[in-house]
Amino acid sequence: MAITKQDFSMFQRDDKVIIITVVDEDGKAKDLTGGSATFVIIDTDIVKTIDNGISISENKINVILEQLDTSDICGSYGYECRATDSGLISEVVATGK
């Protein structure tokens, strides 16, 4: 179940950890153990994946943005986070700016 309009802000060249909590259509925690995730900042080259800035713990996706990721961008950008569970079911779990 996608959580939309989950906006965050940060300054250029700052580090930031974004935590995305994933739930099913009933609002219950969706276990992503053994799954994967991708986080994309739209209209940039910033893409985070497992072992490249993303870690997963049960139903939480931790996205780590580092100084180098944001050193060349400024302004307002959208993002999308997609998760794939261990059963290979893929869905958008969060969007925002």
Side-chain angles (χ1 to χ4, degrees):
M1 175 180 202
I3 300 172
T4 59
K5 299 182 183 175
Q6 295 299 300
D7 300 341
F8 69 91
S9 62
M10 64 185 296
F11 291 99
Q12 190 177 27
R13 290 185 288 281
D14 274 358
D15 295 324
K16 186 168 191 82
V17 177
I18 302 161
I19 301 171
I20 299 168
T21 302
V22 181
V23 296
D24 65 16
E25 57 276 351
D26 296 323
K28 296 180 182 171
K30 183 169 183 173
D31 189 4
L32 297 173
T33 303
S36 64
T38 303
F39 180 92
V40 176
I41 297 182
I42 299 165
D43 294 329
T44 73
D45 293 331
I46 300 171
V47 178
K48 296 295 181 173
T49 58
I50 295 294
D51 297 327
N52 179 31
I54 287 184
S55 63
I56 295 176
S57 178
E58 296 175 358
N59 73 319
K60 297 197 184 306
I61 299 170
N62 301 299
V63 181
I64 300 169
L65 297 173
E66 298 175 332
Q67 291 177 8
L68 289 175
D69 295 322
T70 63
S71 64
D72 293 331
I73 65 169
C74 71
S76 181
Y77 294 88
Y79 78 88
E80 177 181 282
C81 184
R82 177 175 290 276
T84 303
D85 64 21
S86 61
L88 302 180
I89 303 298
S90 178
E91 64 182 320
V92 173
V93 294
T95 63
K97 291 185 179 183

